[in-house]
Amino acid sequence: MKQLLNQAIIIPKYLIKLILPLVAIALVSFFVVPSALATGVYQIPNLAADNSTWVVDEADAISRVNEGKISSTLSDLAKQTGYETRIVTIHRLDYGETPESFAKALFEKWFPTKEAQANQTLLVIDTVTNGTAIVTGDKVKSLLTDSIAESVASETVMAPLRNGNKYNQAFLDASDRLVAVLSGQTDPGPPKVVEKVQVEGTFKKASETDQSNATAWVVGLLIAATIIPMATYYLYQVNQPSNNG
């Protein structure tokens, strides 16, 4: 009996070999899958030959109707003034990337020379962190100064996002302000923010929910990988013919 109990407690080597791959798969899924969902500059396609691309919505943050409105507005701006503005949304940045570094790299990918960059404006947002960045060419700065550009990214875009992640409103407001400034009109400035008393909620953020779900899966896999082989081995021992005949 004592020998049988020892056999049931000690996990055989073949069970360890079974558990380790499952643990490895769980850990790889936990750490690698988020990276696979990240977007790098190399994944953003080049502009169309006729430069007719105005919105690249990789994060699916803008409705088709509003994407069409924004594209039409920015297209008209380019025809009337020669200034071209593009908006890019991404859902998750590559590890170590920031909205600023991503925007600069994409700007240089799309417009590799100073001449090509001169009339260009690029606005980028990462919808996981709601981080924004804007890059402008030299000629654009005569109208869209660095301070106004920064205000567009940090105030005009961010105001609707702070009030419920209203991405459609954020980009409609941003495109309207950029068009006004680049058309030579008076800068309408950022939207007025009405202060509201915020009551701290008990709901988890999306990032916290994703993290807790991933942790739960890892723990569940580890438990299953331990219990199932042991139970199988125990049942195997129980169902063996008795040596006492």
Side-chain angles (χ1 to χ4, degrees):
M1 177 63 71
K2 182 177 181 181
Q3 184 178 1
L4 181 60
L5 289 174
N6 289 336
Q7 290 177 347
I9 295 174
I10 299 174
I11 302 177
K13 291 183 179 180
Y14 80 90
L15 292 179
I16 296 176
K17 292 181 179 180
L18 177 63
I19 293 172
L20 288 178
L22 292 174
V23 174
I25 291 172
L27 292 176
V28 169
S29 299
F30 181 70
F31 291 107
V32 175
V33 170
S35 298
L37 299 176
T39 301
V41 172
Y42 57 90
Q43 293 173 280
I44 304 297
N46 292 324
L47 294 177
D50 58 355
N51 285 350
S52 60
T53 302
W54 306 105
V55 178
V56 178
D57 187 20
E58 291 287 319
D60 291 327
I62 310 173
S63 69
R64 291 187 178 182
V65 172
N66 287 321
E67 183 176 338
K69 290 180 180 179
I70 295 171
S71 294
S72 178
T73 298
L74 298 180
S75 177
D76 290 342
L77 172 69
K79 292 175 182 177
Q80 296 169 8
T81 67
Y83 294 122
E84 298 183 357
T85 297
R86 291 175 173 83
I87 294 173
V88 175
T89 75
I90 53 177
H91 179 62
R92 190 187 301 275
L93 289 165
D94 273 342
Y95 179 76
E97 193 86 83
T98 65
E100 291 77 12
S101 64
F102 181 92
K104 289 178 181 177
L106 182 58
F107 194 71
E108 293 174 355
K109 173 185 176 179
W110 279 351
F111 315 109
T113 66
K114 286 291 185 181
E115 292 75 14
Q117 296 171 2
N119 294 331
Q120 304 296 333
T121 298
L122 174 62
L123 176 62
V124 171
I125 184 169
D126 164 30
T127 59
V128 168
T129 64
N130 280 346
T132 59
I134 189 167
V135 186
T136 58
D138 291 338
K139 290 185 179 179
V140 172
K141 294 180 186 297
S142 62
L143 291 172
L144 184 64
T145 63
D146 289 342
S147 60
I148 295 177
E150 176 59 28
S151 175
V152 170
S154 63
E155 297 181 284
T156 303
V157 173
M158 292 305 298
L161 300 188
R162 294 190 187 100
N163 187 25
N165 284 340
K166 298 177 181 178
Y167 292 102
N168 285 281
Q169 188 63 51
F171 288 115
L172 286 169
D173 291 349
S175 63
D176 288 345
R177 186 178 178 188
L178 289 169
V179 167
V181 173
L182 293 174
S183 297
Q185 302 173 22
T186 302
D187 176 19
K192 294 181 179 179
V193 178
V194 178
E195 294 294 335
K196 295 181 180 180
V197 177
Q198 296 292 334
V199 178
E200 185 176 355
T202 58
F203 296 100
K204 292 184 177 180
K205 297 179 180 179
S207 59
E208 294 174 342
T209 302
D210 292 342
Q211 186 76 11
S212 62
N213 288 341
T215 302
W217 273 103
V218 172
V219 173
L221 287 171
L222 290 174
I223 294 174
T226 302
I227 294 177
I228 292 175
M230 292 182 66
T232 301
Y233 181 74
Y234 175 75
L235 291 174
Y236 171 78
Q237 291 290 339
V238 169
N239 289 290
Q240 288 297 305
S242 174
N243 291 331
N244 295 328

